[in-house]
């Protein structure tokens, strides 16, 4: 669910059903409690008025009979009533009917990882995120990166679950920051537990103490463990930890804050992390790149008669690699047709893993493949792509249209579209490598989601209804390393794109080789 915002939106309707079930439960429980209150009032009134003089009252056989009957059966019926259990069981049965459509543990963990990804890439302050704000600290002051129209503050339990996900992955850089906020919020609430919470102040203190220990901050670990013992003085494990921390502090003095500064975990998949994140943060505002006098805008027809009366607004964004933006390539109606047609086929996006394909945490989205026959709009887009590029995009010379919807913090870390290994699944079509990419923005986003070209050092913000085109291969068929690119995490918004990958075969007389074998 977390890999597609469409699925997250669908979860709203599931919760609406659960709200209705809970309302029914509350109504039935209210009726049951009204009956209990009525019985209480009846018995209390008897003891206040009728039984003031027990001897006189019991002289009346009717009064004596009702007392005996009440104590034998009425109290029994009230105390052992199954009505509360039946109401609870009805609520549970209703919940179980919706269980298949509810988020799984993987979704909770994925959503938490999405928040941490946004925190890292956009350098967001955790304390601000907890208040529902997207802020970065600049020169000691929190600055708004984006102020959303709708937001919610996070609870101590919310922060505990994010911190716990990091903790379980041995990621103490993130667990410390999120668990510190959790402890602060739990303390502010008086440490009181409420039924919907998965964690408590004691849980947060326990996890935070060990996280500090793992980052080398022994004095903080000791202080938090001692606070935990105030709440749970008989906890043997924590008592042992306190003894261990005290021994460690005797052997060596506590480190200063600068000595044990938290360090982000390294990434196996992301060797260009700093450049990637900088490009995502600037969101297409690399002024030096766009001052190149050789870059231009024009009305483009590609010499095709079909575009003479309505040329496309072309913006050349880069010459090496050659990257072009076509404004207003698709209409609102066409975009909606494509998204709606793709709904039923959306599946978790995969990446090449040797000769096979597999899901990966560095690509968080869902995708669907649309043939020409799926909807008339698909064929129209193919025709327009062919007119603009001058290439043969019909299957198998072009892959079917891939429609992608990004999830919570959805992204695709730096990668090439063309195959870099002879065993890549790209070659299954037997039409060569991916010579070019044509990517259509089917929606806008409020913040984030730029397309970043890492080695070329520029990024392109999401431009609704526009399309981007670039060559993946040099004319000699070699891969162009400057096309290494990434989909930056979506900060706010619902990002949809459509990809058309065009292969080498079928272009022999449309995109000719050069006489220079090095070109």
């Amino acid at each position: 669910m977390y890999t597609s915002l469409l699925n997250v939106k669908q979860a709203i309707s599931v919760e609406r059903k659960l709200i209705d079930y809970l309302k029914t439960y509350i109504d039935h429980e209210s009726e049951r409690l009204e009956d209990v209150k009525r019985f209480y009032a009846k018995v209390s009134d008897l003891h206040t008025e009728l039984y003031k003089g027990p001897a006189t009252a019991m002289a009346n056989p009717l009064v004596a009979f009702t007392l005996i009957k009440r104590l034998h059966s009425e109290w029994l019926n009230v105390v052992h009533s199954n009505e509360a259990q039946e109401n609870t069981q009805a609520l549970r049965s209703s919940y179980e009917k919706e269980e298949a459509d509810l988020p799984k543990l993987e979704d909770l963990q994925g959503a938490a990882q999405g928040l941490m990804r946004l925190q890292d890439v956009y350098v967001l302050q955790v304390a601000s995120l907890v208040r529902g704000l997207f802020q970065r600290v600049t020169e000691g002051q929190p600055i708004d990166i984006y102020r959303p129209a709708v937001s919610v503050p996070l609870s101590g339990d919310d922060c505990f679950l994010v911190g716990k996900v990091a903790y379980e992955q041995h990621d103490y850089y993130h667990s410390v920051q999120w668990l510190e906020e959790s402890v602060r919020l739990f303390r502010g609430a008086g440490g009181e537990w409420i039924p919907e919470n998965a964690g408590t102040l004691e849980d947060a203190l326990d996890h935070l103490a060990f996280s500090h220990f793992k980052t080398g901050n022994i004095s903080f670990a000791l202080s938090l463990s001692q606070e935990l013992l105030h709440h749970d003085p008989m906890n043997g494990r924590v008592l042992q930890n306190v003894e261990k921390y005290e021994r460690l502090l005797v052997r060596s003095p506590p480190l200063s804050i600068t000595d044990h500064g938290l360090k982000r975990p390294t990434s196996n998949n992301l060797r260009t992390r700093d450049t990637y994140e900088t490009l995502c943060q600037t969101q297409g505002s690399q002024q030096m790149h766009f001052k190149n006098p050789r870059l231009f805008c024009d009305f483009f027809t590609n010499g095709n008669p079909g575009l003479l009366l309505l040329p496309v607004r072309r913006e050349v964004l880069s010459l090496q690699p050659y990257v072009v933006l076509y404004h207003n390539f698709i209409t609102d109606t066409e975009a909606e047709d494509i998204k709606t047609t793709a709904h039923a086929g959306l599946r978790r996006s995969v990446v090449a893993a040797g000769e096979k394909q597999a899901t990966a945490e560095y690509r968080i989205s869902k995708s669907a493949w649309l043939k020409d026959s799926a909807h008339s709009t698909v064929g129209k887009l193919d025709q327009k792509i062919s007119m603009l590029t001058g290439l043969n995009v019909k299957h198998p010379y072009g892959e079917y249209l891939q429609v992608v919807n990004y999830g919570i913090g959805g992204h695709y870390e730096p990668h090439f579209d063309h195959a870099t290994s002879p065993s890549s699944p790209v070659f299954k079509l037997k039409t060569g490598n991916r010579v070019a990419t044509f990517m259509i923005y089917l929606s806008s986003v409020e913040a984030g989601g730029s397309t970043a070209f890492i080695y070329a050092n520029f990024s392109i913000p999401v431009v609704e209804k526009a399309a981007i085109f670039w060559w993946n291969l040099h004319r000699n068929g070699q891969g162009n390393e400057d096309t290494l690119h990434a989909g930056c995490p979506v900060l706010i918004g619902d990002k949809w794109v459509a990809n058309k990958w065009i292969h080498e075969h079928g272009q022999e007389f449309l995109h000719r080789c050069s006489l220079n074998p090095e070109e």
Side-chain angles (χ1 to χ4, degrees), residues 121 166 198 242 275 306 376 386 463 495:
V121 172
V242 167
T275 304
S376 59
S386 184
V463 181
K495 182 181 176 184

Side-chain angles (χ1 to χ4, degrees), residues 1-11 107 343 346-349 364-367 404-410 493-496:
M1 181 183 291
Y2 77 98
T3 63
S4 167
L5 214 60
L6 173 68
N7 295 142
V8 178
K9 288 178 180 177
Q10 288 168 342
D107 293 305
H343 281 188
L346 286 173
R347 300 291 182 271
R348 175 78 186 267
S349 296
I364 299 298
S365 62
K366 282 191 174 179
S367 54
V404 183
N405 181 219
Y406 288 79
I408 299 169
D494 185 8
K495 182 181 176 184
W496 288 80

Side-chain angles (χ1 to χ4, degrees), residues 32-45:
R32 183 182 68 80
L33 289 172
E34 283 301 318
D35 287 338
V36 174
K37 287 180 190 175
R38 179 186 49 72
F39 178 75
Y40 167 81
K42 179 179 80 170
V43 177
S44 296
D45 289 345

Side-chain angles (χ1 to χ4, degrees), residues 193-421:
W193 181 79
I194 54 177
E196 63 265 31
N197 280 358
T200 63
L201 174 59
E202 290 88 340
D203 292 327
L205 286 168
D206 195 8
H207 285 74
L208 179 58
F210 190 74
S211 296
H212 273 303
F213 165 68
K214 294 297 286 184
T215 60
N217 196 338
I218 310 298
S219 56
F220 272 37
L222 175 60
S223 173
L224 291 161
S225 297
Q226 288 170 335
E227 181 182 349
L228 177 53
L229 284 176
H230 285 298
H231 299 280
D232 188 8
M234 303 306 293
N235 191 317
R237 180 178 54 79
V238 178
L239 284 166
Q240 287 179 345
N241 285 346
V242 167
E243 291 176 7
K244 178 171 74 172
Y245 298 154
E246 288 173 339
R247 284 197 307 272
L248 289 169
L249 287 172
V250 168
R251 288 181 202 164
S252 57
L255 298 171
S256 68
I257 294 296
T258 53
D259 289 334
H260 64 72
L262 297 174
K263 293 181 180 178
R264 273 179 66 185
T266 56
S267 170
N268 295 328
N269 303 311
L270 194 48
R271 299 173 188 170
T272 54
R273 183 164 75 181
D274 291 344
T275 304
Y276 161 61
E277 291 181 354
T278 300
L279 291 171
C280 290
Q281 290 160 23
T282 51
Q283 299 186 60
S285 61
Q286 299 83 26
Q287 292 301 318
M288 291 303 294
H289 170 79
F290 291 108
K291 285 181 179 176
N292 186 338
R294 296 172 63 200
L295 303 180
F296 61 91
C297 300
D298 65 359
F299 287 99
F300 182 65
T301 65
N302 198 28
N304 190 295
L307 295 173
L308 286 176
L309 294 179
L310 192 62
V312 175
R313 291 164 56 206
R314 177 177 67 164
E315 182 179 351
V316 179
L317 300 176
S318 172
L319 297 174
Q320 181 52 37
Y322 183 76
V323 181
V324 180
L325 181 73
Y326 297 112
H327 290 268
N328 294 319
F329 172 80
I330 193 170
T331 66
D332 289 327
T333 303
E334 288 170 338
E336 285 305 313
D337 286 343
I338 295 296
K339 288 190 287 184
T340 303
T341 306
H343 281 188
L346 286 173
R347 300 291 182 271
R348 175 78 186 267
S349 296
V350 294
V351 297
E355 295 183 10
K356 298 182 179 179
Q357 294 180 315
T359 61
E361 285 308 305
Y362 59 85
R363 187 181 190 189
I364 299 298
S365 62
K366 282 191 174 179
S367 54
W369 298 86
L370 301 185
K371 298 180 179 180
D372 292 4
S373 56
H375 195 284
S376 59
T377 299
V378 179
K380 289 178 184 175
L381 292 181
D382 277 354
Q383 184 180 11
K384 195 169 183 181
I385 293 170
S386 184
M387 290 162 66
L388 278 173
T389 62
L391 299 175
N392 181 355
V393 303
K394 292 293 182 184
H395 193 270
Y397 307 117
E399 295 177 34
Y400 295 127
L401 190 71
Q402 185 198 51
V403 183
V404 183
N405 181 219
Y406 288 79
I408 299 169
H411 70 144
Y412 193 174
E413 288 181 0
H415 63 282
F416 294 108
D417 281 357
H418 62 272
T420 55
S421 164

